[in-house]
Amino acid sequence: MSVDANIAAAQEKFAELIRSEYERIERMKADNEVTDFAKLEKIVVGILPGDGIGPIIMKQALRVLDDLLGPEIASGRVEVRTIEGMTIENRAAKLQSLPDEVFEEVKQCNVLLKGPMVTPRASDPWPNLISANSLLRRGLELFAAVRPIRIPEKNIDWTFFRENIEGEYIWGNKGIQVNEDLAVDFKVQTRQGSERIARAAFEFAKKNGKKNVTIVTKANIVKLADGNFIKAVRRVGEEYPEIEIQERLVDAMSAKMLDPEFNKGIEVIVLPNLYGDIVTDVAAEHQGGLGTASSSNLGNKYAMFEAIHGTAPFLIDHNRGDYADPCSLIRAVGMLMAHIGYADRKQILDQALDICTITERRLVVTTDRDGASAAEFTDYLLETIDGLKK
């Protein structure tokens, strides 16, 4: 194929992508339905166990959910509904990252609790399926990934608001292979997408007495997409004059986030998608590892709560899956309970987790047989919760 023909084919594909974005922008403008959980007769919690260690840690997370929401589950106010069909084996057999019949079941729920799921890499034995996480987020319009990070000894209590749909991820499988020498991927930013994640961050700051929102980008290099993201956040910030806005570059944030001079004043952090993925993982490692951190994915109608780590194939391959740390998914249970109106139960869980992982720390999960198993740690946690209830 000639150079001109290659360029013409690439231009047509790019035009199709742009047309799809115009349609998505119109959907965002119309996305005004907000779920009021206080008015629901029944709240349906969908359970997606996941792959690898997912079912193992999900079993322990559900023990905690059943304990803390026991009366509501018994009365039927809360229904816990397991959704089958999202294993990598089933997804690969159907050649669908998010099978149609599974997605229909998902949409019958109000909130989801999700274990880690395999996203195949080139070297994996599975078809090269795109991320199920991304499809769930886009399909349910879960535009805000909210990740709290607490490191008390460093005086760090941060909440990250990661834009969850756009950026480099929305067209992650739609790049253009112009010819064998040239491939092009894209980064997408819209005013609507940037403003709604900004508003979520400022509203959280306002409701929780925070005085700072920090924007993290690479706007010195990525002039348009990151520059427009900053403008959108600052535009929304004009409605919250009591909240200070500052900026950090993503590379400096990753390298120096524990530097007290660098992180001075930081409380709420808002980031585009890819930067948010990277920076929150780095922050979670400083907190104690990916197994200690959880994430909520929030939209106007639906919400999904999950661990931020992967499926831990090393543990599974070495028959050590039962020793996976369940804390990330258990913390996601706490975020779920607060979101649907039971913040008091989350407070009990947070206190118990602090006792079990920081102050008392009688049992330690080390992902090895020398440490506590996921079930043993959860026994310890539930015993602590029961003590706090009295």
Side-chain angles (χ1 to χ4, degrees), residues 90-226:
N90 187 59
R91 291 184 285 134
K94 292 180 178 293
L95 291 178
Q96 285 187 292
S97 292
L98 178 56
D100 296 333
E101 68 277 9
V102 174
F103 190 48
E104 288 306 310
E105 286 189 67
V106 162
K107 289 188 290 185
Q108 301 308 308
C109 303
N110 303 111
V111 294
L112 301 170
L113 182 65
K114 187 186 77 64
M117 293 177 182
V118 169
T119 300
R121 304 179 218 181
S123 59
D124 288 342
W126 308 108
N128 191 25
L129 300 173
I130 63 175
S131 166
N133 291 349
S134 294
L135 291 180
L136 283 165
R137 291 165 185 162
R138 292 177 211 163
L140 300 175
E141 281 296 320
L142 306 178
F143 59 85
V146 184
R147 296 183 176 181
I149 295 293
R150 289 177 62 243
I151 311 174
E153 65 273 20
K154 298 285 186 180
N155 199 30
I156 286 173
D157 185 1
W158 296 336
T159 305
F160 289 89
F161 280 76
R162 167 192 171 191
E163 200 290 316
N164 217 13
I165 293 176
E166 301 186 346
E168 293 82 356
Y169 286 26
I170 190 167
W171 292 353
N173 65 325
K174 297 178 181 178
I176 298 174
Q177 187 74 46
V178 181
N179 62 19
E180 62 181 11
D181 298 320
L182 178 62
V184 180
D185 278 313
F186 301 98
K187 176 167 183 160
V188 175
Q189 181 271 341
T190 66
R191 178 174 63 84
Q192 290 77 14
S194 299
E195 287 185 355
R196 68 183 180 179
I197 188 66
R199 192 169 305 283
F202 281 105
E203 279 296 309
F204 173 87
K206 179 180 178 180
K207 290 175 182 176
N208 290 274
K210 307 295 184 182
K211 300 299 182 184
N212 169 272
V213 168
T214 298
I215 314 166
V216 175
T217 67
K218 192 63 177 170
N220 58 332
I221 302 298
V222 186
K223 300 289 188 180
L224 280 178
D226 284 8

Side-chain angles (χ1 to χ4, degrees), residues 249-300:
L249 294 176
V250 62
D251 45 355
M253 183 70 189
S254 299
K256 302 181 70 175
M257 65 173 64
L258 295 189
D259 182 335
E261 190 61 34
F262 178 87
N263 69 33
K264 187 175 182 181
I266 291 178
E267 293 180 315
V268 178
I269 302 160
V270 61
L271 322 83
N273 203 339
L274 176 61
Y275 308 145
D277 193 358
I278 295 168
V279 171
T280 55
D281 280 2
V282 174
E285 281 297 317
H286 289 309
Q287 179 180 253
L290 294 181
T292 69
S294 58
S295 174
S296 57
N297 301 269
L298 308 180
N300 289 333

